[in-house]
Amino acid sequence: MTTNTIDTTAKMRKAHQDTLGGPEVLRVIETGIPAPGPGEVLVEVRAAGVNPIDTKIRAGGMWLVPPFTLGWDVSGVVAAVGADVSRLAVGDEVYGIPDFPHLAGGYAEFVVASERSFAPKPSTLDHEHAAALPLSGSIAWQALVEVAQVGPGRRVLIHAAAGGVGHLAVQIAKSRGAYVIGTASAAKHALLSELGADEVVDYTTVDFATAVRDVDVVLDLIGGEYEDRSLATLRPGGILLNITNPPAADATAAKAEAAGVRGVTVDLDPNPTRLTRLAELADAGELRPIVAETFPLDEVVKAHETAEAGRTTGKIVLIP
């Protein structure tokens, strides 16, 4: 059934870029509201998360070529549905990852994407906090639960444990019964303990590669030399999860094999079932997304500057 509750000849605002470069290439423009096609929904965006992948693509393009609008973390309300949409209806509060890795454009007042990009929003979270969860929570869940099969008693080391992915990964691993060790600066230790971390290592004063031993799983959210040093912390047969550099998948696997462990690169494959599991965990009080700062859409440049400073605890969120 096709249902429209808004005038799609009306205009909306979105953050757009015509060229690659620094945060200054982002500008807010006015454009038409897109109409959903078959299998698609139009979502009125109430909040949109900012992720490291956004800043990397803005600056370097990676697999995408401008002009485009960024944004893959969205929470909002279904405003219209296209033909053959069966799970969602106009008025539903939803959250999700619009058409990743293709561009759908979540930094906007409205976004159109496939129905499978979305799931019902966690009922206990407002839109700001729900927008902090989809992409970061999904990659953490995919890596820890689906790939590493983290369970009771497993020792899990999470780097950048207070960051956008890290703080969710700590809670997901803890919800599975794991013993969780995080690396973070001292100022963030109290928060990580509150989120369930059993140990926190101050990477600014302690070498985690010598302080941590016999872990079953390392979730590497930093990459570079952290990957090499993390191998020493794993017990034989352990697993190193790389999500920061998918092109290096073969090199990661080879280094890990030489060290007697497994090295697996996790490429996000979004699905609504995973979003539903994350929502259930949030509504059960076991997963709390942290929003470090919110910015109006007009301050998208400042939001990216803040994100690139690399000192954020939790997530940065845009409010269209």
Side-chain angles (χ1 to χ4, degrees), residues 7 12 40 42 46 48 62 64 77 99 113 118 126 143 161 176 196 213 219 231 275 279 293 302:
D7 177 8
M12 72 171 191
E40 294 182 329
L42 174 69
R46 300 291 176 83
M62 300 178 75
L64 298 167
V77 179
D99 288 347
F118 299 100
D126 59 23
R176 309 294 290 186
R213 281 289 183 271
L219 180 60
L231 293 173
L275 290 170
E293 197 166 355
K302 186 177 179 182

mmCIF file with all atom_site columns, all heavy atoms in Angstrom, residues 7 12 40 42 46 48 62 64 77 99 113 118 126 143 161 176 196 213 219 231 275 279 293 302:
data_model
loop_
_atom_site.group_PDB
_atom_site.id
_atom_site.type_symbol
_atom_site.label_atom_id
_atom_site.label_alt_id
_atom_site.label_comp_id
_atom_site.label_asym_id
_atom_site.label_entity_id
_atom_site.label_seq_id
_atom_site.pdbx_PDB_ins_code
_atom_site.Cartn_x
_atom_site.Cartn_y
_atom_site.Cartn_z
_atom_site.occupancy
_atom_site.B_iso_or_equiv
_atom_site.pdbx_formal_charge
_atom_site.auth_seq_id
_atom_site.auth_comp_id
_atom_site.auth_asym_id
_atom_site.auth_atom_id
_atom_site.pdbx_PDB_model_num
ATOM 1   N N   . ASP A 1 7   ? 3.289  16.652  1.725  1.00 0.00 ? 7   ASP A N   1
ATOM 2   C CA  . ASP A 1 7   ? 3.375  17.175  0.368  1.00 0.00 ? 7   ASP A CA  1
ATOM 3   C C   . ASP A 1 7   ? 4.815  17.037  -0.103 1.00 0.00 ? 7   ASP A C   1
ATOM 4   O O   . ASP A 1 7   ? 5.701  17.781  0.330  1.00 0.00 ? 7   ASP A O   1
ATOM 5   C CB  . ASP A 1 7   ? 2.932  18.633  0.352  1.00 0.00 ? 7   ASP A CB  1
ATOM 6   C CG  . ASP A 1 7   ? 3.060  19.261  -1.033 1.00 0.00 ? 7   ASP A CG  1
ATOM 7   O OD1 . ASP A 1 7   ? 3.349  18.524  -1.994 1.00 0.00 ? 7   ASP A OD1 1
ATOM 8   O OD2 . ASP A 1 7   ? 2.862  20.491  -1.127 1.00 0.00 ? 7   ASP A OD2 1
ATOM 9   N N   . MET A 1 12  ? 12.910 20.554  1.766  1.00 0.00 ? 12  MET A N   1
ATOM 10  C CA  . MET A 1 12  ? 13.563 20.161  3.014  1.00 0.00 ? 12  MET A CA  1
ATOM 11  C C   . MET A 1 12  ? 14.991 20.665  2.988  1.00 0.00 ? 12  MET A C   1
ATOM 12  O O   . MET A 1 12  ? 15.528 21.060  1.955  1.00 0.00 ? 12  MET A O   1
ATOM 13  C CB  . MET A 1 12  ? 13.561 18.642  3.177  1.00 0.00 ? 12  MET A CB  1
ATOM 14  C CG  . MET A 1 12  ? 14.499 17.916  2.249  1.00 0.00 ? 12  MET A CG  1
ATOM 15  S SD  . MET A 1 12  ? 14.655 16.153  2.642  1.00 0.00 ? 12  MET A SD  1
ATOM 16  C CE  . MET A 1 12  ? 16.060 15.687  1.613  1.00 0.00 ? 12  MET A CE  1
ATOM 17  N N   . GLU A 1 40  ? 10.317 1.001   -0.188 1.00 0.00 ? 40  GLU A N   1
ATOM 18  C CA  . GLU A 1 40  ? 11.008 2.063   0.536  1.00 0.00 ? 40  GLU A CA  1
ATOM 19  C C   . GLU A 1 40  ? 10.058 2.812   1.471  1.00 0.00 ? 40  GLU A C   1
ATOM 20  O O   . GLU A 1 40  ? 8.841  2.808   1.281  1.00 0.00 ? 40  GLU A O   1
ATOM 21  C CB  . GLU A 1 40  ? 11.614 3.067   -0.437 1.00 0.00 ? 40  GLU A CB  1
ATOM 22  C CG  . GLU A 1 40  ? 12.733 2.519   -1.295 1.00 0.00 ? 40  GLU A CG  1
ATOM 23  C CD  . GLU A 1 40  ? 13.318 3.571   -2.211 1.00 0.00 ? 40  GLU A CD  1
ATOM 24  O OE1 . GLU A 1 40  ? 12.575 4.492   -2.627 1.00 0.00 ? 40  GLU A OE1 1
ATOM 25  O OE2 . GLU A 1 40  ? 14.512 3.472   -2.523 1.00 0.00 ? 40  GLU A OE2 1
ATOM 26  N N   . LEU A 1 42  ? 9.769  6.727   3.583  1.00 0.00 ? 42  LEU A N   1
ATOM 27  C CA  . LEU A 1 42  ? 10.256 8.080   3.814  1.00 0.00 ? 42  LEU A CA  1
ATOM 28  C C   . LEU A 1 42  ? 10.188 8.343   5.306  1.00 0.00 ? 42  LEU A C   1
ATOM 29  O O   . LEU A 1 42  ? 9.131  8.217   5.915  1.00 0.00 ? 42  LEU A O   1
ATOM 30  C CB  . LEU A 1 42  ? 9.398  9.100   3.069  1.00 0.00 ? 42  LEU A CB  1
ATOM 31  C CG  . LEU A 1 42  ? 9.717  10.581  3.341  1.00 0.00 ? 42  LEU A CG  1
ATOM 32  C CD1 . LEU A 1 42  ? 11.068 10.964  2.741  1.00 0.00 ? 42  LEU A CD1 1
ATOM 33  C CD2 . LEU A 1 42  ? 8.612  11.487  2.784  1.00 0.00 ? 42  LEU A CD2 1
ATOM 34  N N   . ARG A 1 46  ? 14.453 12.867  13.023 1.00 0.00 ? 46  ARG A N   1
ATOM 35  C CA  . ARG A 1 46  ? 14.445 13.646  14.259 1.00 0.00 ? 46  ARG A CA  1
ATOM 36  C C   . ARG A 1 46  ? 15.859 13.800  14.819 1.00 0.00 ? 46  ARG A C   1
ATOM 37  O O   . ARG A 1 46  ? 16.127 14.742  15.568 1.00 0.00 ? 46  ARG A O   1
ATOM 38  C CB  . ARG A 1 46  ? 13.535 12.972  15.286 1.00 0.00 ? 46  ARG A CB  1
ATOM 39  C CG  . ARG A 1 46  ? 12.084 12.839  14.832 1.00 0.00 ? 46  ARG A CG  1
ATOM 40  C CD  . ARG A 1 46  ? 11.370 14.174  14.758 1.00 0.00 ? 46  ARG A CD  1
ATOM 41  N NE  . ARG A 1 46  ? 10.023 14.065  14.234 1.00 0.00 ? 46  ARG A NE  1
ATOM 42  C CZ  . ARG A 1 46  ? 8.964  13.726  14.944 1.00 0.00 ? 46  ARG A CZ  1
ATOM 43  N NH1 . ARG A 1 46  ? 9.089  13.443  16.229 1.00 0.00 ? 46  ARG A NH1 1
ATOM 44  N NH2 . ARG A 1 46  ? 7.768  13.671  14.383 1.00 0.00 ? 46  ARG A NH2 1
ATOM 45  N N   . ALA A 1 48  ? 20.249 12.460  13.811 1.00 0.00 ? 48  ALA A N   1
ATOM 46  C CA  . ALA A 1 48  ? 21.162 11.699  12.949 1.00 0.00 ? 48  ALA A CA  1
ATOM 47  C C   . ALA A 1 48  ? 22.534 11.628  13.604 1.00 0.00 ? 48  ALA A C   1
ATOM 48  O O   . ALA A 1 48  ? 23.112 12.664  13.958 1.00 0.00 ? 48  ALA A O   1
ATOM 49  C CB  . ALA A 1 48  ? 21.274 12.353  11.574 1.00 0.00 ? 48  ALA A CB  1
ATOM 50  N N   . MET A 1 62  ? 36.622 7.642   -0.298 1.00 0.00 ? 62  MET A N   1
ATOM 51  C CA  . MET A 1 62  ? 36.713 6.188   -0.180 1.00 0.00 ? 62  MET A CA  1
ATOM 52  C C   . MET A 1 62  ? 36.007 5.542   -1.370 1.00 0.00 ? 62  MET A C   1
ATOM 53  O O   . MET A 1 62  ? 36.445 5.698   -2.487 1.00 0.00 ? 62  MET A O   1
ATOM 54  C CB  . MET A 1 62  ? 36.194 5.723   1.186  1.00 0.00 ? 62  MET A CB  1
ATOM 55  C CG  . MET A 1 62  ? 36.993 6.326   2.351  1.00 0.00 ? 62  MET A CG  1
ATOM 56  S SD  . MET A 1 62  ? 36.420 5.892   3.991  1.00 0.00 ? 62  MET A SD  1
ATOM 57  C CE  . MET A 1 62  ? 37.003 4.196   4.107  1.00 0.00 ? 62  MET A CE  1
ATOM 58  N N   . LEU A 1 64  ? 33.003 6.361   -2.496 1.00 0.00 ? 64  LEU A N   1
ATOM 59  C CA  . LEU A 1 64  ? 31.937 7.239   -2.967 1.00 0.00 ? 64  LEU A CA  1
ATOM 60  C C   . LEU A 1 64  ? 32.499 8.509   -3.603 1.00 0.00 ? 64  LEU A C   1
ATOM 61  O O   . LEU A 1 64  ? 33.576 8.979   -3.239 1.00 0.00 ? 64  LEU A O   1
ATOM 62  C CB  . LEU A 1 64  ? 31.022 7.604   -1.794 1.00 0.00 ? 64  LEU A CB  1
ATOM 63  C CG  . LEU A 1 64  ? 30.308 6.411   -1.145 1.00 0.00 ? 64  LEU A CG  1
ATOM 64  C CD1 . LEU A 1 64  ? 29.686 6.824   0.178  1.00 0.00 ? 64  LEU A CD1 1
ATOM 65  C CD2 . LEU A 1 64  ? 29.260 5.845   -2.088 1.00 0.00 ? 64  LEU A CD2 1
ATOM 66  N N   . VAL A 1 77  ? 10.468 9.319   12.318 1.00 0.00 ? 77  VAL A N   1
ATOM 67  C CA  . VAL A 1 77  ? 9.091  8.855   12.204 1.00 0.00 ? 77  VAL A CA  1
ATOM 68  C C   . VAL A 1 77  ? 8.767  8.610   10.734 1.00 0.00 ? 77  VAL A C   1
ATOM 69  O O   . VAL A 1 77  ? 9.092  9.445   9.875  1.00 0.00 ? 77  VAL A O   1
ATOM 70  C CB  . VAL A 1 77  ? 8.115  9.902   12.792 1.00 0.00 ? 77  VAL A CB  1
ATOM 71  C CG1 . VAL A 1 77  ? 6.673  9.434   12.648 1.00 0.00 ? 77  VAL A CG1 1
ATOM 72  C CG2 . VAL A 1 77  ? 8.445  10.174  14.257 1.00 0.00 ? 77  VAL A CG2 1
ATOM 73  N N   . ASP A 1 99  ? 20.302 2.352   3.977  1.00 0.00 ? 99  ASP A N   1
ATOM 74  C CA  . ASP A 1 99  ? 20.920 1.832   2.745  1.00 0.00 ? 99  ASP A CA  1
ATOM 75  C C   . ASP A 1 99  ? 22.443 1.740   2.754  1.00 0.00 ? 99  ASP A C   1
ATOM 76  O O   . ASP A 1 99  ? 23.069 1.759   1.697  1.00 0.00 ? 99  ASP A O   1
ATOM 77  C CB  . ASP A 1 99  ? 20.464 2.651   1.539  1.00 0.00 ? 99  ASP A CB  1
ATOM 78  C CG  . ASP A 1 99  ? 19.009 2.366   1.184  1.00 0.00 ? 99  ASP A CG  1
ATOM 79  O OD1 . ASP A 1 99  ? 18.446 1.384   1.708  1.00 0.00 ? 99  ASP A OD1 1
ATOM 80  O OD2 . ASP A 1 99  ? 18.437 3.137   0.399  1.00 0.00 ? 99  ASP A OD2 1
ATOM 81  N N   . ALA A 1 113 ? 14.771 5.376   2.233  1.00 0.00 ? 113 ALA A N   1
ATOM 82  C CA  . ALA A 1 113 ? 15.628 4.195   2.200  1.00 0.00 ? 113 ALA A CA  1
ATOM 83  C C   . ALA A 1 113 ? 14.753 2.952   2.190  1.00 0.00 ? 113 ALA A C   1
ATOM 84  O O   . ALA A 1 113 ? 13.541 3.018   2.420  1.00 0.00 ? 113 ALA A O   1
ATOM 85  C CB  . ALA A 1 113 ? 16.578 4.166   3.403  1.00 0.00 ? 113 ALA A CB  1
ATOM 86  N N   . PHE A 1 118 ? 15.394 -0.174  8.486  1.00 0.00 ? 118 PHE A N   1
ATOM 87  C CA  . PHE A 1 118 ? 14.844 0.338   9.731  1.00 0.00 ? 118 PHE A CA  1
ATOM 88  C C   . PHE A 1 118 ? 14.186 -0.750  10.569 1.00 0.00 ? 118 PHE A C   1
ATOM 89  O O   . PHE A 1 118 ? 13.782 -1.794  10.061 1.00 0.00 ? 118 PHE A O   1
ATOM 90  C CB  . PHE A 1 118 ? 13.810 1.432   9.441  1.00 0.00 ? 118 PHE A CB  1
ATOM 91  C CG  . PHE A 1 118 ? 14.357 2.618   8.721  1.00 0.00 ? 118 PHE A CG  1
ATOM 92  C CD1 . PHE A 1 118 ? 14.189 2.759   7.352  1.00 0.00 ? 118 PHE A CD1 1
ATOM 93  C CD2 . PHE A 1 118 ? 15.069 3.599   9.404  1.00 0.00 ? 118 PHE A CD2 1
ATOM 94  C CE1 . PHE A 1 118 ? 14.697 3.847   6.674  1.00 0.00 ? 118 PHE A CE1 1
ATOM 95  C CE2 . PHE A 1 118 ? 15.585 4.696   8.731  1.00 0.00 ? 118 PHE A CE2 1
ATOM 96  C CZ  . PHE A 1 118 ? 15.397 4.827   7.368  1.00 0.00 ? 118 PHE A CZ  1
ATOM 97  N N   . ASP A 1 126 ? 14.902 8.329   23.679 1.00 0.00 ? 126 ASP A N   1
ATOM 98  C CA  . ASP A 1 126 ? 14.434 9.415   22.830 1.00 0.00 ? 126 ASP A CA  1
ATOM 99  C C   . ASP A 1 126 ? 15.179 9.338   21.497 1.00 0.00 ? 126 ASP A C   1
ATOM 100 O O   . ASP A 1 126 ? 16.081 8.515   21.307 1.00 0.00 ? 126 ASP A O   1
ATOM 101 C CB  . ASP A 1 126 ? 14.625 10.765  23.516 1.00 0.00 ? 126 ASP A CB  1
ATOM 102 C CG  . ASP A 1 126 ? 16.076 11.069  23.884 1.00 0.00 ? 126 ASP A CG  1
ATOM 103 O OD1 . ASP A 1 126 ? 16.993 10.491  23.268 1.00 0.00 ? 126 ASP A OD1 1
ATOM 104 O OD2 . ASP A 1 126 ? 16.292 11.894  24.797 1.00 0.00 ? 126 ASP A OD2 1
ATOM 105 N N   . ALA A 1 143 ? 30.347 -8.047  15.253 1.00 0.00 ? 143 ALA A N   1
ATOM 106 C CA  . ALA A 1 143 ? 31.695 -8.523  15.553 1.00 0.00 ? 143 ALA A CA  1
ATOM 107 C C   . ALA A 1 143 ? 31.718 -9.438  16.776 1.00 0.00 ? 143 ALA A C   1
ATOM 108 O O   . ALA A 1 143 ? 32.251 -10.556 16.732 1.00 0.00 ? 143 ALA A O   1
ATOM 109 C CB  . ALA A 1 143 ? 32.628 -7.337  15.772 1.00 0.00 ? 143 ALA A CB  1
ATOM 110 N N   . ALA A 1 161 ? 37.501 2.124   24.311 1.00 0.00 ? 161 ALA A N   1
ATOM 111 C CA  . ALA A 1 161 ? 36.288 1.575   24.916 1.00 0.00 ? 161 ALA A CA  1
ATOM 112 C C   . ALA A 1 161 ? 35.247 2.636   25.267 1.00 0.00 ? 161 ALA A C   1
ATOM 113 O O   . ALA A 1 161 ? 34.084 2.290   25.496 1.00 0.00 ? 161 ALA A O   1
ATOM 114 C CB  . ALA A 1 161 ? 36.649 0.771   26.170 1.00 0.00 ? 161 ALA A CB  1
ATOM 115 N N   . ARG A 1 176 ? 26.464 -10.430 27.389 1.00 0.00 ? 176 ARG A N   1
ATOM 116 C CA  . ARG A 1 176 ? 26.664 -11.829 26.983 1.00 0.00 ? 176 ARG A CA  1
ATOM 117 C C   . ARG A 1 176 ? 27.411 -12.624 28.048 1.00 0.00 ? 176 ARG A C   1
ATOM 118 O O   . ARG A 1 176 ? 27.720 -13.795 27.836 1.00 0.00 ? 176 ARG A O   1
ATOM 119 C CB  . ARG A 1 176 ? 27.436 -11.900 25.669 1.00 0.00 ? 176 ARG A CB  1
ATOM 120 C CG  . ARG A 1 176 ? 26.891 -11.040 24.563 1.00 0.00 ? 176 ARG A CG  1
ATOM 121 C CD  . ARG A 1 176 ? 25.532 -11.474 24.074 1.00 0.00 ? 176 ARG A CD  1
ATOM 122 N NE  . ARG A 1 176 ? 25.596 -12.738 23.354 1.00 0.00 ? 176 ARG A NE  1
ATOM 123 C CZ  . ARG A 1 176 ? 24.560 -13.290 22.727 1.00 0.00 ? 176 ARG A CZ  1
ATOM 124 N NH1 . ARG A 1 176 ? 23.367 -12.694 22.770 1.00 0.00 ? 176 ARG A NH1 1
ATOM 125 N NH2 . ARG A 1 176 ? 24.689 -14.437 22.098 1.00 0.00 ? 176 ARG A NH2 1
ATOM 126 N N   . GLY A 1 196 ? 29.959 -1.358  32.943 1.00 0.00 ? 196 GLY A N   1
ATOM 127 C CA  . GLY A 1 196 ? 30.142 -2.792  33.125 1.00 0.00 ? 196 GLY A CA  1
ATOM 128 C C   . GLY A 1 196 ? 31.538 -3.326  32.908 1.00 0.00 ? 196 GLY A C   1
ATOM 129 O O   . GLY A 1 196 ? 31.783 -4.520  33.103 1.00 0.00 ? 196 GLY A O   1
ATOM 130 N N   . ARG A 1 213 ? 46.811 -9.999  29.354 1.00 0.00 ? 213 ARG A N   1
ATOM 131 C CA  . ARG A 1 213 ? 47.187 -11.298 28.810 1.00 0.00 ? 213 ARG A CA  1
ATOM 132 C C   . ARG A 1 213 ? 45.979 -12.235 28.806 1.00 0.00 ? 213 ARG A C   1
ATOM 133 O O   . ARG A 1 213 ? 44.986 -12.024 29.488 1.00 0.00 ? 213 ARG A O   1
ATOM 134 C CB  . ARG A 1 213 ? 48.311 -11.935 29.653 1.00 0.00 ? 213 ARG A CB  1
ATOM 135 C CG  . ARG A 1 213 ? 49.704 -11.387 29.378 1.00 0.00 ? 213 ARG A CG  1
ATOM 136 C CD  . ARG A 1 213 ? 50.197 -11.861 27.998 1.00 0.00 ? 213 ARG A CD  1
ATOM 137 N NE  . ARG A 1 213 ? 51.561 -11.423 27.717 1.00 0.00 ? 213 ARG A NE  1
ATOM 138 C CZ  . ARG A 1 213 ? 51.879 -10.287 27.133 1.00 0.00 ? 213 ARG A CZ  1
ATOM 139 N NH1 . ARG A 1 213 ? 50.927 -9.442  26.798 1.00 0.00 ? 213 ARG A NH1 1
ATOM 140 N NH2 . ARG A 1 213 ? 53.134 -9.982  26.889 1.00 0.00 ? 213 ARG A NH2 1
ATOM 141 N N   . LEU A 1 219 ? 38.651 -6.557  20.312 1.00 0.00 ? 219 LEU A N   1
ATOM 142 C CA  . LEU A 1 219 ? 37.937 -5.712  19.360 1.00 0.00 ? 219 LEU A CA  1
ATOM 143 C C   . LEU A 1 219 ? 38.783 -4.466  19.160 1.00 0.00 ? 219 LEU A C   1
ATOM 144 O O   . LEU A 1 219 ? 38.868 -3.602  20.036 1.00 0.00 ? 219 LEU A O   1
ATOM 145 C CB  . LEU A 1 219 ? 36.552 -5.348  19.895 1.00 0.00 ? 219 LEU A CB  1
ATOM 146 C CG  . LEU A 1 219 ? 35.694 -4.462  18.981 1.00 0.00 ? 219 LEU A CG  1
ATOM 147 C CD1 . LEU A 1 219 ? 35.445 -5.145  17.637 1.00 0.00 ? 219 LEU A CD1 1
ATOM 148 C CD2 . LEU A 1 219 ? 34.375 -4.099  19.643 1.00 0.00 ? 219 LEU A CD2 1
ATOM 149 N N   . LEU A 1 231 ? 48.019 -8.612  19.276 1.00 0.00 ? 231 LEU A N   1
ATOM 150 C CA  . LEU A 1 231 ? 48.225 -10.047 19.065 1.00 0.00 ? 231 LEU A CA  1
ATOM 151 C C   . LEU A 1 231 ? 48.874 -10.693 20.290 1.00 0.00 ? 231 LEU A C   1
ATOM 152 O O   . LEU A 1 231 ? 48.580 -11.842 20.619 1.00 0.00 ? 231 LEU A O   1
ATOM 153 C CB  . LEU A 1 231 ? 49.099 -10.273 17.823 1.00 0.00 ? 231 LEU A CB  1
ATOM 154 C CG  . LEU A 1 231 ? 48.461 -9.869  16.484 1.00 0.00 ? 231 LEU A CG  1
ATOM 155 C CD1 . LEU A 1 231 ? 49.478 -9.976  15.359 1.00 0.00 ? 231 LEU A CD1 1
ATOM 156 C CD2 . LEU A 1 231 ? 47.241 -10.738 16.192 1.00 0.00 ? 231 LEU A CD2 1
ATOM 157 N N   . LEU A 1 275 ? 19.013 -4.821  14.453 1.00 0.00 ? 275 LEU A N   1
ATOM 158 C CA  . LEU A 1 275 ? 18.495 -3.590  15.051 1.00 0.00 ? 275 LEU A CA  1
ATOM 159 C C   . LEU A 1 275 ? 17.441 -3.905  16.105 1.00 0.00 ? 275 LEU A C   1
ATOM 160 O O   . LEU A 1 275 ? 17.386 -3.263  17.159 1.00 0.00 ? 275 LEU A O   1
ATOM 161 C CB  . LEU A 1 275 ? 17.891 -2.694  13.967 1.00 0.00 ? 275 LEU A CB  1
ATOM 162 C CG  . LEU A 1 275 ? 18.869 -2.038  12.990 1.00 0.00 ? 275 LEU A CG  1
ATOM 163 C CD1 . LEU A 1 275 ? 18.110 -1.395  11.842 1.00 0.00 ? 275 LEU A CD1 1
ATOM 164 C CD2 . LEU A 1 275 ? 19.746 -1.012  13.701 1.00 0.00 ? 275 LEU A CD2 1
ATOM 165 N N   . ALA A 1 279 ? 17.553 -2.991  20.086 1.00 0.00 ? 279 ALA A N   1
ATOM 166 C CA  . ALA A 1 279 ? 16.451 -2.273  20.729 1.00 0.00 ? 279 ALA A CA  1
ATOM 167 C C   . ALA A 1 279 ? 15.957 -3.027  21.959 1.00 0.00 ? 279 ALA A C   1
ATOM 168 O O   . ALA A 1 279 ? 15.656 -2.424  22.996 1.00 0.00 ? 279 ALA A O   1
ATOM 169 C CB  . ALA A 1 279 ? 15.309 -2.069  19.730 1.00 0.00 ? 279 ALA A CB  1
ATOM 170 N N   . GLU A 1 293 ? 27.436 15.101  22.618 1.00 0.00 ? 293 GLU A N   1
ATOM 171 C CA  . GLU A 1 293 ? 27.063 16.465  22.264 1.00 0.00 ? 293 GLU A CA  1
ATOM 172 C C   . GLU A 1 293 ? 26.095 16.419  21.092 1.00 0.00 ? 293 GLU A C   1
ATOM 173 O O   . GLU A 1 293 ? 26.178 15.536  20.234 1.00 0.00 ? 293 GLU A O   1
ATOM 174 C CB  . GLU A 1 293 ? 28.316 17.262  21.885 1.00 0.00 ? 293 GLU A CB  1
ATOM 175 C CG  . GLU A 1 293 ? 28.138 18.758  21.896 1.00 0.00 ? 293 GLU A CG  1
ATOM 176 C CD  . GLU A 1 293 ? 29.460 19.511  21.843 1.00 0.00 ? 293 GLU A CD  1
ATOM 177 O OE1 . GLU A 1 293 ? 30.525 18.847  21.887 1.00 0.00 ? 293 GLU A OE1 1
ATOM 178 O OE2 . GLU A 1 293 ? 29.428 20.753  21.757 1.00 0.00 ? 293 GLU A OE2 1
ATOM 179 N N   . LYS A 1 302 ? 30.778 22.303  12.559 1.00 0.00 ? 302 LYS A N   1
ATOM 180 C CA  . LYS A 1 302 ? 31.302 22.214  13.921 1.00 0.00 ? 302 LYS A CA  1
ATOM 181 C C   . LYS A 1 302 ? 31.210 20.782  14.443 1.00 0.00 ? 302 LYS A C   1
ATOM 182 O O   . LYS A 1 302 ? 32.112 20.308  15.153 1.00 0.00 ? 302 LYS A O   1
ATOM 183 C CB  . LYS A 1 302 ? 30.543 23.162  14.834 1.00 0.00 ? 302 LYS A CB  1
ATOM 184 C CG  . LYS A 1 302 ? 31.098 23.251  16.246 1.00 0.00 ? 302 LYS A CG  1
ATOM 185 C CD  . LYS A 1 302 ? 30.342 24.275  17.079 1.00 0.00 ? 302 LYS A CD  1
ATOM 186 C CE  . LYS A 1 302 ? 30.876 24.337  18.506 1.00 0.00 ? 302 LYS A CE  1
ATOM 187 N NZ  . LYS A 1 302 ? 30.104 25.307  19.337 1.00 0.00 ? 302 LYS A NZ  1
#
